[in-house]
Amino acid sequence: MDILVPPYRLARRVERLKPSTIREMLKVTQNPDVISFGGGLPAAELFPVADVSAAQDRVMRARGAAALQYSVTDGVPELRAWVANRLRRDGVAVHADDVIITNGSQQGLDLYARVFLDPGDVVALENPSYLGAIQAFDAFEPDYLAVASDAHGIVPEALETALGAADPKPKFLYLIPNYQNPTGNTLALERRAQVVAICARHGVPILEDDPYGEITFAREPWPPLLSHASQGAVTYLGTGSKMVAPGLRVAWMVVTDHALRERIVTAKQGADLHSSPYTQYVFHAYVEDGSRLDAHLDVVRATYRARRDAMTAALAAEMPAHVRWNVPDGGMFLWATVGAGIDTEVLFEHAVRDGVVFVPGRPFYPAKDRGDGMRLNFSAMPPERIAEGIARLGRAVRHLGG
Ligand SMILES: Cc1ncc(COP(=O)(O)O)c(C=O)c1O
């Protein structure tokens, strides 16, 4: 008897689903001789392995089978309460009932898009913006309204003009206000209330994605956009990935409008029933001692700061004058523009041969219309490897650009 063989008749949306450049590149970086500024990896040697192991033992002793059973879709109450408390510490009026625990904030991006987007709807975002978000949104076949951004984040005047002219209006604005991926830029304090007010005036809700807000080098974290907004105007995504470890896949979504929250919870139910209660309890058992978490975050901040300094010092020493970069005061990335007419996708081919990789800038622009930028990750490597990698990159740039 014949069995069905490909070609399959796949959904139209898969045409838009391209493998992420970054994930593809991580394959190259399996080679230990290659120095990678490409991935967005936290420093693995800082992961609190012993403390998470102890947390896991406590969970098994105290909860046993309950941690291994099916659970509620919106997340275990203890962890939701911890999220609300932590945000309240930053001056945001949030309750445990507003919180949904997700499988990484990547799932928050997917769920939000799932409840908002039909094919042909418009999403407004910074230009450039996080590739993984564009990838998550792409499954729902939207168009993009890319709004000009500068060293201080999205430009309010450009946002006002873009939203005023947009027809149809975007379903939402997607923003990464702190140490943005890919640029490392932060939305200026004085722009925050302005951006919230502009969106409110145009009836456009904001999806605030904040994985890096706590990874600050020189100051206290700034209050999220959520703190400037009336109820329901901003949905906030936070994550344990950069604070603790991404392998736990523990993240949270704050949705103060409970009608919207119910829709998102229902969408999550269809996607995965619920996030793992086991990892939620382990994460909670690790973070509930605030002083332990704060001590860990201090080490992360100091280490990444030293690595940023190593990278900017190496760039100053190795790069010709047409290469420019910013000096972010937090997060894991900086952004360099190469100049001299060099396309960073071409540079990438040379750099791989010289044993160093980065992420070329083009995929971060929804229109894929700028090829002079590159994202450099500084968190994953010790300073001496950073110096060696930038020296290799400098040779590749000089080879192409003179
Ligand atoms: C801006 C941004 N949003 C979301 C994510 C996904 O993070 P998570 O590990 O919480 O899924 C990342 C990861 O790098 C990111 O940079």
Side-chain angles (χ1 to χ4, degrees):
M1 197 177 81
D2 279 350
I3 53 167
L4 182 66
V5 291
Y8 302 115
R9 288 171 296 129
L10 298 179
R12 192 182 52 193
R13 81 178 70 87
V14 302
E15 295 301 317
R16 294 179 55 143
L17 301 182
K18 302 279 185 278
S20 146
T21 318
I22 300 173
R23 302 252 137 234
E24 288 298 292
M25 212 168 39
L26 285 176
K27 293 178 191 162
V28 182
T29 62
Q30 301 303 314
N31 175 352
D33 296 334
V34 174
I35 296 178
S36 176
F37 303 130
L41 299 185
E45 67 277 20
L46 302 185
F47 290 155
V49 175
D51 283 341
V52 171
S53 176
Q56 171 182 288
D57 291 344
R58 288 199 299 281
V59 166
M60 283 291 95
R61 272 199 308 275
R63 308 231 171 233
L68 302 176
Q69 185 56 283
Y70 282 116
S71 185
V72 286
T73 300
D74 57 358
V76 304
E78 292 84 349
L79 183 55
R80 288 194 284 113
W82 175 83
V83 169
N85 274 332
R86 191 150 184 104
L87 282 163
R88 274 204 295 272
R89 205 183 66 167
D90 297 336
V92 195
V94 168
H95 303 282
D97 287 350
D98 303 328
V99 177
I100 304 169
I101 304 300
T102 58
N103 195 41
S105 48
Q106 192 68 25
Q107 184 181 43
L109 297 171
D110 173 81
L111 294 176
Y112 194 84
R114 211 173 267 241
V115 303
F116 273 90
L117 297 179
D118 289 314
D121 281 346
V122 177
V123 175
L125 33 61
E126 295 156 284
N127 200 29
S129 190
Y130 170 50
L131 195 51
I134 297 173
Q135 200 182 24
F137 302 156
D138 268 351
F140 304 95
E141 305 175 55
D143 295 322
Y144 295 104
L145 178 64
V147 182
S149 312
D150 62 18
H152 305 289
I154 197 163
V155 179
E157 296 73 22
L159 179 64
E160 175 69 56
T161 308
L163 295 187
D167 182 22
K169 287 268 181 270
K171 283 286 188 75
F172 60 89
L173 169 68
Y174 170 68
L175 271 187
I176 308 153
N178 297 308
Y179 317 121
Q180 198 236 19
N181 184 356
T183 61
N185 290 332
T186 288
L187 182 61
L189 211 44
E190 62 275 13
R191 286 187 180 179
R192 296 187 173 215
Q194 260 179 301
V195 166
V196 169
I198 291 167
C199 285
R201 206 161 46 246
H202 290 280
V204 175
I206 297 174
L207 178 58
E208 175 178 24
D209 188 8
D210 189 24
Y212 305 106
E214 298 240 21
I215 315 295
T216 55
F217 301 159
R219 57 168 170 80
E220 288 298 301
W222 284 347
L225 293 185
L226 185 63
S227 67
H228 296 276
S230 59
Q231 198 184 20
V234 173
T235 291
Y236 177 88
L237 303 180
T239 178
S241 288
K242 310 298 162 27
M243 293 164 67
V244 183
L248 293 169
R249 310 307 297 132
V250 171
W252 44 94
M253 210 170 176
V254 178
V255 196
T256 54
D257 179 313
H258 284 197
L260 175 61
R261 183 184 184 278
E262 278 317 299
R263 299 279 190 191
I264 293 173
V265 169
T266 307
K268 180 167 167 63
Q269 223 162 57
D272 64 359
L273 301 183
H274 55 78
S275 298
S276 155
Y278 174 76
T279 49
Q280 290 181 69
Y281 281 127
V282 170
F283 184 89
H284 178 257
Y286 172 73
V287 296
E288 70 180 334
D289 177 344
S291 55
R292 180 172 49 218
L293 177 62
D294 286 341
H296 170 69
L297 283 170
D298 283 345
V299 173
V300 171
R301 291 174 184 133
T303 307
Y304 291 6
R305 184 188 170 133
R307 293 176 180 194
R308 177 211 57 187
D309 290 345
M311 183 170 277
T312 51
L315 286 165
E318 304 287 347
M319 290 295 164
H322 53 78
V323 180
R324 298 285 156 87
W325 58 91
N326 60 352
V327 185
D329 62 353
M332 302 189 345
F333 306 106
L334 63 77
W335 184 255
T337 51
V338 186
I342 297 173
D343 189 307
T344 51
E345 284 174 353
V346 176
L347 176 65
F348 181 83
E349 301 300 326
H350 286 263
V352 172
R353 285 199 288 276
D354 287 344
V356 60
V357 295
F358 57 87
V359 188
R362 194 184 309 278
F364 295 104
Y365 294 94
K368 319 290 181 230
D369 55 352
R370 284 196 58 178
D372 62 340
M374 59 179 161
R375 190 190 77 176
L376 297 175
N377 167 269
F378 53 74
S379 60
M381 208 99 46
E384 35 322 332
R385 292 282 280 171
I386 292 177
E388 170 59 22
I390 296 294
R392 292 180 191 179
L393 189 55
R395 283 196 289 279
V397 169
R398 276 194 299 277
H399 177 79
L400 283 177

